Amino acid sequence: MSVIYMLLAISVSVALLFFLFFILSVRKGQFDDSYTPSVRMLFDDELVKDPAERPSDDNPKQSN
Amino acid sequence: MEQRPCYHCGESCGNQSQSYDGKDFCCTGCKTVYQIFRDHKLDYYYEIQEGAGRTPVPAEGKYDFLDDPEIVGRLLDFQDGTHQVINLSIPHIHCSSCIWVLENLHKLHPGVISSQVDFPRRQARVHYDTGRLGLKELVQLLSAIGYEPSITLEQYSGKEAKKDRTLIYQIGVAGFAFGNIMFLSFPEYFETGEFWLEQYKGLFRWLMFSFSVPVVFYSGAGYLKTAYKGLKAGILNIDVPIALGILVLFFRSTVEIAFDLGSGFFDSLSGLVFFLLLGKFFQQRTYSYLSFERDYKSYFPIAITRLKPGGGEENVPVYQVVTGDRLLIRNNALVPADSLLIAGQAEIDYSFVTGEARPVRKAAGERIYAGGKQLQGVIEVEVLKPVSQSYLTELWSDSAFSKSPKTAFRNLTDRIGKRFTLAVLTIAFVSAGTWLFIDPSRALNVLTAVLIIACPCAIALAAPFTLGNLLRIFGKRGFYVKDTETLERMAQANTAIFDKTGTISTTQKNSIRFTGIELSESEAAVLKNVLRASGHPLSQALYRQLAPYNIVPLESFEEHVGKGLEGRAGGHHIRVGSREFVQAKGEGSQTGTEVHVSANNAYKGCFTISNSYRDGAGSLFGRLANRYTLAVLSGDNEAEQAALEELLPPLTPMYFNQKPKEKLLFVRELQQQGRKVIMVGDGLNDAGALAQSDVGIAVSEDASLFTPACDAILDSRQFARLDSFLVTAHKAIGVIRLSFGLSLLYNLVGLYFAVTGQLQPVIAAILMPLSSISIVAFTTAATNWIGRDLGPNANKLLGKS
């Protein structure tokens, strides 16, 4: 068999994989709010000024 | 320095500055919020953005209805045991500080599990543990830090529609297929007849075919459907040639690869659909945090306090209120249904319902209409009609609300679409007919080639991109337009009708005139302090306008509900209020609201508070008069007629004492005379006229707060620039026409290849994206150019959303 078939199969399946990720991310609502995350990512560094303050803070922002 | 801005809200502190922690605050409320934030180590809030806060509004008893589990249950998004999730809409969200502090709510109260802000929608999604924090406490917590959520009847009566993500999926599918098909078709563009290529040609082509199937039948389904609907209704809209192009591309390509005639046009096909959908996406962008469809429901409270027959109070949902119920209306609360006043001094502000600026006093036994706001003290009323049948809500049963007269509008693209389709079909059949005589074997080829190349991709993109971009340019400058179609209607309008109260005149600023004997300085100081103690809007208005004096502690103070105030300090006895209360002599004036003053039982004079008009209103009307027929419709009385005549161009028709329904009918009558009407209003009393007009523009002090149903929301600070927005909308139509011309040029080039029977897939693959991209570039540049003299951005953050 020609290597072309294999290459094609690989390229198409990689493309399909990315397409699947796209569908999943839309479904999870990643495209609903395209603004807030860009602001939120700038906060995290300054958030904890006193690390001993609140140990239960491990995972404050989980998903919906 | 006295005029330092408040550390919390950024407003000027005036003479009331309170110093705390080395910072200045304008009031105790702001100081308290600062203390809360500081105590919970949230003072980073002030580092992100200065003066971002808002003075909290005391909400004692206002949210008692949230104790009712049935009401809470309808508001919640999700509930599992003690874990509850709610989406709260918080209009004050406006900057990064807001996002930060609201996402750190768990630091303020351990009952909050997590919270997430959706900035474009001005919403916060809060997960909390009911074991430690009830919804009522959560709402009170938010109110206490100045982020009062708006909970309205609208949320109660129906859940929000599910988010429609179809378009994003469609774009994803089309983009995915477009990219892959491009890869697969690339070899055939250049290397025809090469050995290896011949070997795998079939495989490549059928792969392309399978990629393009979802593009046509999923991504392109919208175009096929609208074209079919249009044809069924006998309308040749722009989607007809698009759908024709898509189908011909698909079937000709399939036939070509099936009989090994060529490589087909799958690349052009998927590219075409992808670009068209991008245009649609651009057009659909709206301001998700603004609501253009609001009716009285978003203005009314969810629940109301009902007095039980046997004594005692209970909170009931507004919908459950029936005729004969006794209701308790608190200070600054809305009367939700037409009712009869039973007890208490009613002073009702109808400004939102009728446009009448002056509050009306009602005595026991008089009728109060729904939508009025009780200004002072608590009253008890008996319901005459249930909420849905009240005077105000009945306006919504008019046909202007049920059928949408605007759907009949055919936009520029569709109007062109008809002629375009006819022309394309003519060219296609004439050239195919001609080829029948020259070389019959190529006739079908030519017929399909013409339909493919003439597919009006660029034409269909011109309007969405021009108007979509303009929508964004306007939005950055404080003029929020619902959709692109509204812009087209705006450009066609020739009549502009204005409401008075709240639209031309402002409720935020009053002009106050004093007539009588000048008050001595010490008397004026006492007067100012007496006014300060009262929450009545007139006292507040007067208080803001008087020169600042030092705070003098009052020895005695008494507020006579519905009559006036009296106070004693430093040997002066000041009475301020109505004519009867102060025992003034003489006739009342008709030009505005009066507040009378007496000092030590001697009558001093009266303050006349009249409307003040928005800055630049006069010159705005001067400029508008050149293009539009103007008229003023006011729910208020004639008191301001003389002042309005000065403001408006000579002979502008003015109508006073207009009821909401009359305004609607006035607009309808003008439309029956063939006029295209822009209605500019602000309140619920204009809602009918706004819905009936071709373009209803609501003027709002704060666009994220309440506005009636409308097509566009204008930030009141931009009011004087309304004409330049309208002119720019007009110019945008010119830009669209130019791009139509440009895309026709491309079509002519393409048609040359098609008609002469030499259309190669590679030519189509170059020409079609090229025309689309150049149209997008041209329209974007042109709209930025025509929008350049609209001035600087009003609010950078708002524009980004």
Side-chain angles (χ1 to χ4, degrees):
Chain A
M1 273 304 253
S2 164
V3 74
I4 290 278
Y5 290 112
M6 214 168 77
L7 283 176
L8 263 183
I10 292 172
S11 90
V12 169
S13 53
V14 167
L16 276 174
L17 196 71
F18 279 101
F19 182 64
L20 191 76
F21 286 148
F22 169 75
I23 298 290
L24 285 179
S25 62
V26 175
R27 186 155 294 175
K28 276 181 80 179
Q30 259 189 42
F31 289 77
D32 294 348
D33 178 2
S34 53
Y35 178 73
T36 327
S38 70
V39 180
R40 189 180 296 133
M41 67 169 284
L42 299 174
F43 294 145
D44 291 344
D45 293 333
E46 285 104 328
L47 225 167
V48 186
K49 280 189 172 172
D50 187 357
E53 183 69 22
R54 189 164 273 276
S56 64
D57 237 350
D58 294 330
N59 191 14
K61 279 177 225 136
Q62 72 274 62
S63 65
N64 308 328
Chain B
M1 279 299 289
E2 276 212 339
Q3 291 304 314
R4 279 172 64 183
C6 172
Y7 190 65
H8 176 68
C9 69
E11 300 277 319
S12 159
C13 290
N15 60 331
Q16 318 258 328
S17 163
Q18 304 191 3
S19 203
Y20 179 80
D21 221 11
K23 276 120 187 160
D24 290 319
F25 296 94
C26 68
C27 59
T28 323
C30 288
K31 194 180 79 180
T32 317
V33 182
Y34 171 75
Q35 283 171 327
I36 298 175
F37 284 167
R38 202 197 50 157
D39 292 348
H40 292 87
K41 301 208 182 306
L42 287 174
D43 34 9
Y44 176 56
Y45 179 75
Y46 299 100
E47 285 169 37
I48 305 173
Q49 178 120 6
E50 276 173 29
R54 181 187 209 144
T55 315
V57 190
E60 209 55 50
K62 193 174 167 187
Y63 293 109
D64 282 349
F65 61 87
L66 291 178
D67 284 333
D68 184 338
E70 194 209 335
I71 295 175
V72 171
R74 296 195 67 157
L75 292 170
L76 286 179
D77 232 36
F78 170 80
Q79 182 166 18
D80 180 26
T82 60
H83 183 132
Q84 295 188 335
V85 184
I86 188 165
N87 261 327
L88 290 168
S89 121
I90 303 177
H92 182 58
I93 295 178
H94 72 287
C95 67
S96 323
S97 282
C98 306
I99 300 174
W100 183 79
V101 79
L102 288 173
E103 299 203 336
N104 279 296
L105 268 186
H106 57 276
K107 291 194 172 176
L108 281 177
H109 197 290
V112 177
I113 298 163
S114 73
S115 48
Q116 197 169 13
V117 174
D118 184 337
F119 187 84
R121 288 193 177 74
R122 307 288 189 267
Q123 278 181 348
R125 188 178 174 85
V126 186
H127 294 242
Y128 60 97
D129 178 4
T130 39
R132 291 192 278 184
L133 179 78
L135 182 58
K136 183 182 152 191
E137 287 76 36
L138 173 67
V139 171
Q140 279 171 342
L141 172 72
L142 286 168
S143 306
I145 57 170
Y147 289 96
E148 188 176 3
S150 94
I151 300 176
T152 59
L153 201 54
E154 201 173 30
Q155 286 155 291
Y156 179 78
S157 50
K159 283 277 170 234
E160 252 178 85
K162 270 272 163 230
K163 282 168 195 150
D164 187 15
R165 295 170 180 150
T166 319
L167 187 59
I168 295 184
Y169 287 126
Q170 286 181 335
I171 292 177
V173 170
F176 165 75
F178 178 44
N180 282 290
I181 292 175
M182 271 309 213
F183 273 127
L184 293 170
S185 57
F186 215 72
E188 287 210 65
Y189 286 165
F190 308 109
E191 295 277 345
T192 39
E194 201 256 351
F195 172 74
W196 282 106
L197 208 66
E198 289 297 314
Q199 212 59 29
Y200 295 106
K201 208 166 62 179
L203 174 70
F204 274 53
R205 287 175 177 178
W206 285 108
L207 262 177
M208 287 195 271
F209 168 80
S210 45
F211 276 123
S212 68
V213 170
V215 173
V216 174
F217 297 103
Y218 178 67
S219 299
Y223 293 100
L224 303 182
K225 269 184 215 154
T226 38
Y228 175 70
K229 272 187 205 156
L231 283 178
K232 238 171 93 178
I235 303 166
L236 279 175
N237 52 23
I238 195 72
D239 285 352
V240 173
I242 292 177
L244 206 61
I246 292 175
L247 288 177
V248 168
L249 269 169
F250 182 68
F251 287 114
R252 174 169 165 179
S253 309
T254 312
V255 169
E256 274 192 10
I257 61 165
F259 297 101
D260 199 19
L261 301 168
S263 60
F265 298 83
F266 293 117
D267 44 358
S268 306
L269 167 66
S270 51
L272 168 82
V273 175
F274 180 61
F275 283 117
L276 283 172
L277 289 173
L278 278 187
K280 215 178 189 176
F281 181 68
F282 209 69
Q283 187 175 28
Q284 274 194 354
R285 276 177 73 117
T286 44
Y287 310 95
S288 43
Y289 68 100
L290 296 177
S291 175
F292 293 97
E293 314 293 345
R294 284 170 171 163
D295 60 11
Y296 63 94
K297 282 181 190 158
S298 48
Y299 187 51
F300 275 23
I302 292 182
I304 191 93
T305 311
R306 182 163 70 188
L307 297 168
K308 287 187 200 164
E313 296 173 6
E314 58 178 345
N315 288 301
V316 289
V318 163
Y319 278 139
Q320 289 178 16
V321 168
V322 291
T323 309
D325 276 357
R326 295 274 174 107
L327 304 177
L328 195 72
I329 310 290
R330 291 201 169 79
N331 199 1
N332 272 324
L334 275 186
V335 180
D338 293 358
S339 14
L340 216 55
L341 181 61
I342 301 293
Q345 279 283 347
E347 189 163 1
I348 306 290
D349 174 9
Y350 278 127
S351 60
F352 220 84
V353 187
T354 61
E356 167 80 44
R358 235 180 285 185
V360 199
R361 294 215 175 89
K362 297 275 183 187
E366 281 190 271
R367 197 181 171 126
I368 301 175
Y369 289 109
K373 196 179 194 182
Q374 162 66 355
L375 290 182
Q376 241 187 342
V378 181
I379 54 170
E380 195 187 322
V381 296
E382 186 178 304
V383 176
L384 291 175
K385 281 178 182 173
V387 176
S388 54
Q389 289 168 28
S390 285
Y391 166 74
L392 176 66
T393 47
E394 255 176 343
L395 181 65
W396 270 266
S397 58
D398 188 274
S399 59
F401 289 94
S402 48
K403 68 161 177 125
S404 175
K406 290 159 189 173
T407 46
F409 178 79
R410 294 188 53 212
N411 61 35
L412 194 57
T413 315
D414 278 344
R415 288 201 303 272
I416 284 222
K418 185 180 173 185
R419 271 176 275 168
F420 186 85
T421 315
L422 289 176
V424 168
L425 288 176
T426 316
I427 294 172
F429 283 107
V430 167
S431 47
T434 317
W435 275 100
L436 271 180
F437 295 104
I438 305 167
D439 181 0
S441 65
R442 292 175 74 178
L444 197 64
N445 181 342
V446 170
L447 178 73
T448 48
V450 170
L451 292 178
I452 289 170
I453 204 71
C455 183
C457 182
I459 288 186
L461 286 177
F465 274 91
T466 310
L467 299 175
N469 198 28
L470 201 63
L471 220 60
R472 237 185 37 239
I473 293 174
F474 279 7
K476 280 182 187 161
R477 287 158 179 82
F479 186 39
Y480 310 96
V481 182
K482 184 166 83 177
D483 51 27
T484 54
E485 205 180 282
T486 307
L487 284 174
E488 284 194 39
R489 284 199 305 265
M490 205 180 283
Q492 287 180 353
N494 51 17
T495 307
I497 299 174
F498 288 82
D499 167 53
K500 185 183 73 76
T501 319
T503 306
I504 308 176
S505 70
T506 159
T507 48
Q508 301 285 301
K509 206 176 79 197
N510 293 298
S511 62
I512 292 179
R513 205 174 61 242
F514 183 72
T515 43
I517 312 152
E518 193 83 14
L519 294 167
S520 75
E521 198 165 306
S522 53
E523 285 166 348
V526 180
L527 172 65
K528 176 103 179 166
N529 282 289
V530 168
L531 292 172
R532 185 168 165 257
S534 159
H536 192 278
L538 281 180
S539 329
Q540 294 284 329
L542 203 53
Y543 174 75
R544 281 196 297 269
Q545 300 281 311
L546 291 179
Y549 290 100
N550 292 330
I551 294 173
V552 188
L554 294 173
E555 286 150 22
S556 75
F557 171 75
E558 205 174 338
E559 186 157 5
H560 302 271
V561 173
K563 289 177 186 151
L565 317 162
E566 65 180 316
R568 220 180 271 273
H572 291 292
H573 176 212
I574 298 282
R575 284 164 78 87
V576 51
S578 70
R579 174 173 294 276
E580 300 78 40
F581 180 69
V582 184
Q583 289 157 353
K585 296 165 195 74
E587 276 297 299
S589 85
Q590 280 302 310
T591 51
T593 312
E594 294 176 348
V595 177
H596 298 264
V597 188
S598 75
N600 304 322
N601 290 325
Y603 180 67
K604 287 290 183 186
C606 82
F607 292 94
T608 310
I609 302 176
S610 49
N611 286 324
S612 94
Y613 294 97
R614 291 194 192 281
D615 297 335
S619 54
L620 169 71
F621 289 124
R623 276 168 290 159
L624 282 176
N626 301 328
R627 276 172 167 273
Y628 299 92
T629 315
L630 299 177
V632 170
L633 287 181
S634 174
D636 212 347
N637 56 31
E638 295 93 337
E640 298 268 332
Q641 186 162 10
L644 274 174
E645 270 166 8
E646 242 169 70
L647 203 67
L648 290 158
L651 297 177
T652 304
M654 278 177 250
Y655 304 91
F656 294 96
N657 298 314
Q658 295 282 308
K659 295 201 173 64
K661 184 90 183 191
E662 289 171 342
K663 289 190 179 185
L664 190 159
L665 293 175
F666 182 83
V667 172
R668 187 175 290 167
E669 200 172 305
L670 280 176
Q671 284 173 328
Q672 277 158 3
Q673 291 166 19
R675 308 207 70 97
K676 303 276 182 218
V677 182
I678 296 179
M679 172 78 205
V680 187
D682 77 309
L684 278 179
N685 59 321
D686 304 315
L690 288 172
Q692 177 68 39
S693 63
D694 293 279
V695 180
I697 302 175
V699 177
S700 172
E701 307 287 340
D702 183 351
S704 54
L705 292 180
F706 179 83
T707 45
C710 57
D711 300 307
I713 300 173
L714 178 65
D715 188 321
S716 60
R717 284 165 295 182
Q718 306 293 325
F719 182 71
R721 301 230 299 258
L722 180 62
D723 65 313
S724 38
F725 287 119
L726 298 179
V727 168
T728 311
H730 202 82
K731 282 184 191 160
I733 302 299
V735 170
I736 297 178
R737 286 183 195 279
L738 266 179
S739 14
F740 282 169
L742 195 64
S743 63
L744 279 179
L745 271 180
Y746 279 112
N747 268 327
L748 285 179
V749 176
L751 279 174
Y752 163 77
F753 289 106
V755 171
T756 52
Q758 44 185 329
L759 180 69
Q760 299 296 317
V762 65
I763 295 175
I766 292 172
L767 208 57
M768 291 174 82
L770 186 70
S771 66
S772 305
I773 290 167
S774 58
I775 287 295
V776 169
F778 169 72
T779 54
T780 312
T783 39
N784 285 337
W785 192 71
I786 59 169
R788 77 200 181 282
D789 41 4
L790 284 174
N793 292 358
N795 187 335
K796 282 193 173 152
L797 252 170
L798 282 178
K800 276 183 192 166
S801 59

